[in-house]
Every structure is written in C-alpha cells, then in structure tokens.
Amino acid sequence: PYAYIGANLWFGCYLADRALPGGRARLRRELDRLQRIGATNIRLLAGAETSPLVGAISRGIIKAPREYDEELLQGLDFCLAEMARRDMRAILFLSNYWQWSGGFAQYVSWATGEKIPDPDVPQIAAGDWSAFMKMSARLYHMPAANELYLAYIAQLLTRRNTVNGRLYREDPTIMTWELANEPRPGVDGEATLSDVPRFCQWVDATARFIHDRAPQQLVCTGS
C-alpha cells in the first residue's frame, strides 16, 4: 500500500528553466514547502506541444515534429533530481487532450497540415468546443499523428538525467507515466459512446508501449 498527499506542480520544468531568473531557487522553495506539509507525490508536465492557439502556453517542449526543447527538458531533469533529494515521487503527463499546452490536436495538425479550430476565438469556433475535441480525438486512429506522440515518449523513456545521471525508465523518482492530461474518447455526451472502444484500444496499446520500455514504472490514463 502506498498512501500519499499529492500536488499538481505541472509547470515544474518551466520554473526550472535555467534561463528564468530565480526560477530554480523558487522551485527548491516550493518543493521544501510541499515537503513540510507532507506532500510526497508531485504531478509534472513532461510533454507540451508548441501551438499557435490563443489559449496555449507560448513554448512547448516539443517545438516541432521530433524536435525538442533541450532547455525545458533539462528543467525537467533538475526538477526530478531535486525531488529525488527529498524522496518524492513523480507522475509525468505526456501530452494533453486540451489546448492549453498544445496537445493531441497539435499532433494531428502536424500530421495533416490542417488548422486547429481554436475554441478560445469566438469568431472561429463560436465558443463551441466540439470541433476542437473531435480533432484531439483523431490522434487515436491517425497513425501519422500517434507516431509523433510515441516518438517523443520513446526518447523521454531513454533520456539520461543531466543532473543525476539516471535513466528516466529506471528512475525510482518517476512512479507513473500518465498518457495525457484528461484524455477522453471524443466529445461530451452520448454521441461519444461509439468512440469508446477505439479509445480503449489506444489506451491499451500506449500502455503496452511504455511498459515494454519501462517495466518497473506504472502507467495511468490521466482521466
């Protein structure tokens, strides 16, 4: 049995970006404070896709297909190393169903060249999230988009932490790989029921992909 108090510090790798003045010192303070109140399990963003969407963060870890931001990855290295020093455990989420960190829709856009319907621009989407959600869900059955997502996961699993030298796939600080932030079969409501089997197949296949490469770590959906 593993009982814990957890916190969502998704921006850890951004805070630990070496170029951010005072960022690493603040991260240490945040982790010390969490440790003092008994939090031992921290959820971190480990995959963000650079996106033109209005509501998205301006800088992603994945800058373009198979092109990664080493400075942000080193920020993630630093965060995990500091957590290891405090005997904390990490849950790393690898992408996003939603727009704020790029997410699945950006992979689909990279694979197809299509423009993403921006739910935060009323004159484009009229406040309707359905078109965006449907584009996100296309990742599950679009091999070209899913392969870009899996390529990032594969390189992250084999990454060696630049601070403490640990391989990510062997690092006991990393308790769990989370497939994404809040993935779901499609749009909300009964209309999405027909998409559930395809979603479940994607969850199972992606979990196997990770387990085959990192058998000592857990996998969860993120929903």
Side-chain angles (χ1 to χ4, degrees):
Y2 172 60
Y4 63 91
I5 297 172
N8 188 21
L9 192 72
W10 69 265
F11 49 87
C13 69
Y14 288 88
L15 201 55
D17 179 6
R18 195 185 303 274
L20 180 65
R24 292 192 169 188
R26 177 185 160 186
L27 177 65
R28 288 191 182 101
R29 292 196 304 272
E30 297 281 2
L31 292 176
D32 286 341
R33 188 176 186 183
L34 287 166
Q35 187 178 43
R36 283 196 300 272
I37 64 173
T40 58
N41 191 289
I42 310 298
R43 183 174 182 262
L44 300 168
L45 177 149
E49 300 73 30
T50 299
S51 168
L53 298 184
V54 170
I57 51 181
S58 59
R59 179 183 172 200
I61 297 174
I62 301 96
K63 298 192 288 186
R66 294 185 171 85
E67 182 181 345
Y68 311 124
D69 190 320
E70 178 61 22
E71 295 303 315
L72 286 178
L73 287 170
Q74 289 187 19
L76 184 60
D77 292 344
F78 182 87
C79 189
L80 289 169
E82 288 295 313
M83 288 175 60
R85 292 179 62 242
R86 294 162 176 80
D87 197 29
M88 291 175 162
R89 298 290 177 266
I91 296 175
L92 303 185
F93 68 93
L94 295 162
S95 189
N96 201 342
Y97 187 78
W98 304 112
Q99 87 292 8
W100 59 264
S101 67
F104 290 170
Q106 186 57 51
Y107 281 119
V108 173
S109 178
W110 281 333
T112 64
E114 296 175 33
K115 188 174 181 178
I116 303 170
D118 194 334
D120 293 309
V121 180
Q123 60 267 35
I124 294 177
D128 180 9
W129 283 79
S130 295
F132 171 79
M133 294 171 72
K134 288 176 181 177
M135 188 166 185
S136 290
R138 287 167 61 190
L139 177 92
Y140 311 136
H141 58 93
M142 182 177 289
N146 196 52
E147 284 168 10
L148 295 177
Y149 163 76
L150 293 177
Y152 175 66
I153 295 175
Q155 71 84 33
L156 195 62
L157 291 169
T158 57
R159 180 176 177 82
R160 188 174 294 280
N161 190 306
T162 57
V163 178
N164 61 19
R166 293 178 176 179
L167 283 173
Y168 273 44
R169 67 185 180 191
E170 298 173 354
D171 187 352
T173 303
I174 300 173
M175 185 182 82
T176 306
W177 298 96
E178 194 168 275
L179 303 188
N181 179 59
E182 300 181 359
R184 58 198 65 202
V187 297
D188 293 333
E190 293 186 6
T192 198
L193 290 177
S194 62
D195 297 324
V196 170
R198 183 165 57 195
F199 173 69
C200 291
Q201 289 170 6
W202 174 84
V203 167
D204 290 343
T206 311
R208 283 196 301 271
F209 181 88
I210 297 173
H211 279 308
D212 286 347
R213 291 158 178 79
Q216 298 180 56
Q217 294 161 330
L218 301 173
V219 178
C220 69
T221 62
S223 290

